[in-house]
PDB file of all heavy atoms in Angstrom:
ATOM      1  N   LEU A 274      -7.432  -4.101   2.871  1.00 89.00           N
ATOM      2  CA  LEU A 274      -7.570  -5.535   2.584  1.00 89.00           C
ATOM      3  C   LEU A 274      -7.301  -5.817   1.108  1.00 89.00           C
ATOM      4  O   LEU A 274      -6.691  -6.843   0.765  1.00 89.00           O
ATOM      5  CB  LEU A 274      -8.958  -6.033   2.972  1.00 89.00           C
ATOM      6  CG  LEU A 274      -9.269  -6.127   4.465  1.00 89.00           C
ATOM      7  CD1 LEU A 274     -10.602  -6.842   4.678  1.00 89.00           C
ATOM      8  CD2 LEU A 274      -8.163  -6.855   5.227  1.00 89.00           C
ATOM      9  N   LEU A 275      -7.740  -4.918   0.228  1.00 85.00           N
ATOM     10  CA  LEU A 275      -7.458  -5.086  -1.198  1.00 85.00           C
ATOM     11  C   LEU A 275      -5.951  -5.097  -1.436  1.00 85.00           C
ATOM     12  O   LEU A 275      -5.435  -5.923  -2.195  1.00 85.00           O
ATOM     13  CB  LEU A 275      -8.114  -3.955  -1.994  1.00 85.00           C
ATOM     14  CG  LEU A 275      -7.890  -3.981  -3.504  1.00 85.00           C
ATOM     15  CD1 LEU A 275      -8.562  -5.201  -4.123  1.00 85.00           C
ATOM     16  CD2 LEU A 275      -8.420  -2.702  -4.144  1.00 85.00           C
ATOM     17  N   GLN A 276      -5.239  -4.205  -0.756  1.00 81.00           N
ATOM     18  CA  GLN A 276      -3.791  -4.163  -0.897  1.00 81.00           C
ATOM     19  C   GLN A 276      -3.150  -5.442  -0.354  1.00 81.00           C
ATOM     20  O   GLN A 276      -2.206  -5.980  -0.939  1.00 81.00           O
ATOM     21  CB  GLN A 276      -3.230  -2.939  -0.169  1.00 81.00           C
ATOM     22  CG  GLN A 276      -1.725  -2.781  -0.338  1.00 81.00           C
ATOM     23  CD  GLN A 276      -1.187  -1.559   0.378  1.00 81.00           C
ATOM     24  OE1 GLN A 276      -1.853  -0.991   1.221  1.00 81.00           O
ATOM     25  NE2 GLN A 276       0.032  -1.171   0.061  1.00 81.00           N
ATOM     26  N   VAL A 277      -3.665  -5.943   0.767  1.00 89.00           N
ATOM     27  CA  VAL A 277      -3.143  -7.177   1.354  1.00 89.00           C
ATOM     28  C   VAL A 277      -3.270  -8.332   0.360  1.00 89.00           C
ATOM     29  O   VAL A 277      -2.291  -9.032   0.061  1.00 89.00           O
ATOM     30  CB  VAL A 277      -3.882  -7.514   2.663  1.00 89.00           C
ATOM     31  CG1 VAL A 277      -3.556  -8.945   3.115  1.00 89.00           C
ATOM     32  CG2 VAL A 277      -3.511  -6.526   3.763  1.00 89.00           C
ATOM     33  N   PHE A 278      -4.480  -8.547  -0.169  1.00 92.00           N
ATOM     34  CA  PHE A 278      -4.690  -9.681  -1.072  1.00 92.00           C
ATOM     35  C   PHE A 278      -3.933  -9.479  -2.386  1.00 92.00           C
ATOM     36  O   PHE A 278      -3.410 -10.447  -2.953  1.00 92.00           O
ATOM     37  CB  PHE A 278      -6.187  -9.870  -1.334  1.00 92.00           C
ATOM     38  CG  PHE A 278      -6.964 -10.267  -0.111  1.00 92.00           C
ATOM     39  CD1 PHE A 278      -8.120  -9.603   0.244  1.00 92.00           C
ATOM     40  CD2 PHE A 278      -6.517 -11.293   0.703  1.00 92.00           C
ATOM     41  CE1 PHE A 278      -8.834  -9.963   1.374  1.00 92.00           C
ATOM     42  CE2 PHE A 278      -7.215 -11.652   1.847  1.00 92.00           C
ATOM     43  CZ  PHE A 278      -8.380 -10.987   2.186  1.00 92.00           C
ATOM     44  N   ALA A 279      -3.860  -8.235  -2.865  1.00 87.00           N
ATOM     45  CA  ALA A 279      -3.117  -7.975  -4.096  1.00 87.00           C
ATOM     46  C   ALA A 279      -1.634  -8.297  -3.903  1.00 87.00           C
ATOM     47  O   ALA A 279      -1.002  -8.903  -4.784  1.00 87.00           O
ATOM     48  CB  ALA A 279      -3.302  -6.520  -4.529  1.00 87.00           C
ATOM     49  N   ASN A 280      -1.069  -7.913  -2.767  1.00 87.00           N
ATOM     50  CA  ASN A 280       0.341  -8.216  -2.496  1.00 87.00           C
ATOM     51  C   ASN A 280       0.584  -9.720  -2.449  1.00 87.00           C
ATOM     52  O   ASN A 280       1.565 -10.228  -2.997  1.00 87.00           O
ATOM     53  CB  ASN A 280       0.771  -7.586  -1.173  1.00 87.00           C
ATOM     54  CG  ASN A 280       1.055  -6.100  -1.284  1.00 87.00           C
ATOM     55  OD1 ASN A 280       1.397  -5.610  -2.344  1.00 87.00           O
ATOM     56  ND2 ASN A 280       0.901  -5.383  -0.189  1.00 87.00           N
ATOM     57  N   ILE A 281      -0.293 -10.440  -1.768  1.00 92.00           N
ATOM     58  CA  ILE A 281      -0.125 -11.889  -1.630  1.00 92.00           C
ATOM     59  C   ILE A 281      -0.241 -12.582  -2.980  1.00 92.00           C
ATOM     60  O   ILE A 281       0.583 -13.439  -3.343  1.00 92.00           O
ATOM     61  CB  ILE A 281      -1.156 -12.457  -0.643  1.00 92.00           C
ATOM     62  CG1 ILE A 281      -0.904 -11.897   0.767  1.00 92.00           C
ATOM     63  CG2 ILE A 281      -1.112 -13.980  -0.619  1.00 92.00           C
ATOM     64  CD1 ILE A 281      -2.007 -12.240   1.760  1.00 92.00           C
ATOM     65  N   ILE A 282      -1.263 -12.203  -3.753  1.00 92.00           N
ATOM     66  CA  ILE A 282      -1.485 -12.828  -5.058  1.00 92.00           C
ATOM     67  C   ILE A 282      -0.339 -12.497  -6.010  1.00 92.00           C
ATOM     68  O   ILE A 282       0.150 -13.358  -6.757  1.00 92.00           O
ATOM     69  CB  ILE A 282      -2.840 -12.382  -5.640  1.00 92.00           C
ATOM     70  CG1 ILE A 282      -3.983 -12.904  -4.760  1.00 92.00           C
ATOM     71  CG2 ILE A 282      -3.009 -12.878  -7.072  1.00 92.00           C
ATOM     72  CD1 ILE A 282      -5.321 -12.245  -5.037  1.00 92.00           C
ATOM     73  N   LEU A 283       0.117 -11.247  -5.973  1.00 88.00           N
ATOM     74  CA  LEU A 283       1.216 -10.852  -6.857  1.00 88.00           C
ATOM     75  C   LEU A 283       2.497 -11.591  -6.491  1.00 88.00           C
ATOM     76  O   LEU A 283       3.254 -12.017  -7.382  1.00 88.00           O
ATOM     77  CB  LEU A 283       1.430  -9.343  -6.773  1.00 88.00           C
ATOM     78  CG  LEU A 283       2.497  -8.761  -7.708  1.00 88.00           C
ATOM     79  CD1 LEU A 283       2.150  -9.052  -9.163  1.00 88.00           C
ATOM     80  CD2 LEU A 283       2.628  -7.262  -7.489  1.00 88.00           C
ATOM     81  N   ASN A 284       2.761 -11.766  -5.199  1.00 87.00           N
ATOM     82  CA  ASN A 284       3.942 -12.537  -4.782  1.00 87.00           C
ATOM     83  C   ASN A 284       3.851 -13.970  -5.276  1.00 87.00           C
ATOM     84  O   ASN A 284       4.850 -14.544  -5.723  1.00 87.00           O
ATOM     85  CB  ASN A 284       4.082 -12.505  -3.261  1.00 87.00           C
ATOM     86  CG  ASN A 284       4.913 -11.344  -2.772  1.00 87.00           C
ATOM     87  OD1 ASN A 284       6.126 -11.418  -2.665  1.00 87.00           O
ATOM     88  ND2 ASN A 284       4.246 -10.236  -2.486  1.00 87.00           N
ATOM     89  N   ALA A 285       2.662 -14.548  -5.186  1.00 90.00           N
ATOM     90  CA  ALA A 285       2.479 -15.921  -5.680  1.00 90.00           C
ATOM     91  C   ALA A 285       2.732 -15.981  -7.186  1.00 90.00           C
ATOM     92  O   ALA A 285       3.420 -16.883  -7.683  1.00 90.00           O
ATOM     93  CB  ALA A 285       1.072 -16.409  -5.346  1.00 90.00           C
ATOM     94  N   ALA A 286       2.188 -15.013  -7.920  1.00 90.00           N
ATOM     95  CA  ALA A 286       2.339 -15.003  -9.380  1.00 90.00           C
ATOM     96  C   ALA A 286       3.800 -14.856  -9.784  1.00 90.00           C
ATOM     97  O   ALA A 286       4.271 -15.520 -10.722  1.00 90.00           O
ATOM     98  CB  ALA A 286       1.504 -13.871  -9.972  1.00 90.00           C
ATOM     99  N   GLN A 287       4.526 -13.995  -9.075  1.00 86.00           N
ATOM    100  CA  GLN A 287       5.928 -13.761  -9.420  1.00 86.00           C
ATOM    101  C   GLN A 287       6.822 -14.938  -9.058  1.00 86.00           C
ATOM    102  O   GLN A 287       7.935 -15.054  -9.580  1.00 86.00           O
ATOM    103  CB  GLN A 287       6.418 -12.483  -8.733  1.00 86.00           C
ATOM    104  CG  GLN A 287       5.778 -11.220  -9.282  1.00 86.00           C
ATOM    105  CD  GLN A 287       6.174  -9.975  -8.517  1.00 86.00           C
ATOM    106  OE1 GLN A 287       6.639 -10.055  -7.374  1.00 86.00           O
ATOM    107  NE2 GLN A 287       5.985  -8.813  -9.115  1.00 86.00           N
ATOM    108  N   ALA A 288       6.334 -15.814  -8.179  1.00 87.00           N
ATOM    109  CA  ALA A 288       7.123 -16.982  -7.791  1.00 87.00           C
ATOM    110  C   ALA A 288       6.958 -18.141  -8.769  1.00 87.00           C
ATOM    111  O   ALA A 288       7.764 -19.074  -8.770  1.00 87.00           O
ATOM    112  CB  ALA A 288       6.734 -17.442  -6.386  1.00 87.00           C
ATOM    113  N   ILE A 289       5.916 -18.092  -9.596  1.00 88.00           N
ATOM    114  CA  ILE A 289       5.615 -19.204 -10.506  1.00 88.00           C
ATOM    115  C   ILE A 289       6.400 -19.044 -11.800  1.00 88.00           C
ATOM    116  O   ILE A 289       6.297 -18.016 -12.469  1.00 88.00           O
ATOM    117  CB  ILE A 289       4.103 -19.263 -10.803  1.00 88.00           C
ATOM    118  CG1 ILE A 289       3.325 -19.571  -9.529  1.00 88.00           C
ATOM    119  CG2 ILE A 289       3.804 -20.302 -11.878  1.00 88.00           C
ATOM    120  CD1 ILE A 289       1.821 -19.481  -9.685  1.00 88.00           C
ATOM    121  N   HIS A 290       7.170 -20.053 -12.130  1.00 84.00           N
ATOM    122  CA  HIS A 290       7.947 -20.035 -13.373  1.00 84.00           C
ATOM    123  C   HIS A 290       7.659 -21.319 -14.145  1.00 84.00           C
ATOM    124  O   HIS A 290       8.563 -22.103 -14.452  1.00 84.00           O
ATOM    125  CB  HIS A 290       9.444 -19.910 -13.082  1.00 84.00           C
ATOM    126  CG  HIS A 290       9.802 -18.685 -12.291  1.00 84.00           C
ATOM    127  ND1 HIS A 290       9.809 -17.422 -12.823  1.00 84.00           N
ATOM    128  CD2 HIS A 290      10.141 -18.541 -10.982  1.00 84.00           C
ATOM    129  CE1 HIS A 290      10.150 -16.544 -11.905  1.00 84.00           C
ATOM    130  NE2 HIS A 290      10.360 -17.188 -10.777  1.00 84.00           N
TER     131      HIS A 290
END
Side-chain angles (χ1 to χ4, degrees):
L274 289 189
L275 179 66
Q276 183 180 16
V277 168
F278 295 131
N280 281 334
I281 295 171
I282 295 166
L283 183 60
N284 270 272
Q287 292 175 341
I289 296 173
H290 302 286

